Amino acid sequence: MAGLGRRAEKTVHVKIDPNDETITLEDVLNKITELRKKHPDREIFFDGDEYSICSRPKHPKHGSHGSSHGTG
């Protein structure tokens, strides 16, 4: 299954009841904004499959996390 490694890093912050008509899109977006401020090192997103607001670690741009070439 593609992407399985990234799925393991996912953290669920808020589960949303799809039957709760009192929760608005604005509520969800506000919560995402709040979580982005609280966790600047994580990518915050809405997972439609799980109906939840989740995060995963932001991955550094290619080559910026301890590559082993040229040292030694």
Side-chain angles (χ1 to χ4, degrees):
M1 215 185 267
L4 188 58
R6 292 197 72 160
R7 184 174 283 184
E9 299 174 358
K10 181 173 69 173
T11 300
V12 176
H13 293 276
V14 179
K15 284 289 266 184
I16 298 168
D17 179 357
N19 298 312
D20 184 350
E21 295 178 4
T22 64
I23 298 174
T24 66
L25 177 57
E26 184 176 9
D27 294 334
V28 173
L29 294 175
N30 287 339
K31 188 63 175 178
I32 289 172
T33 299
E34 175 188 324
L35 288 167
R36 284 182 176 157
K37 289 177 184 174
K38 188 174 182 179
H39 303 284
D41 58 326
R42 299 187 67 84
E43 175 188 357
I44 309 294
F45 60 96
F46 179 78
D47 185 326
D49 292 337
E50 293 192 35
Y51 226 78
S52 58
I53 300 172
C54 303
S55 73
R56 64 179 153 241
K58 287 183 179 177
H59 291 286
K61 302 277 189 268
H62 57 283
S64 65
H65 65 285
S67 64
S68 61
H69 37 227
T71 58

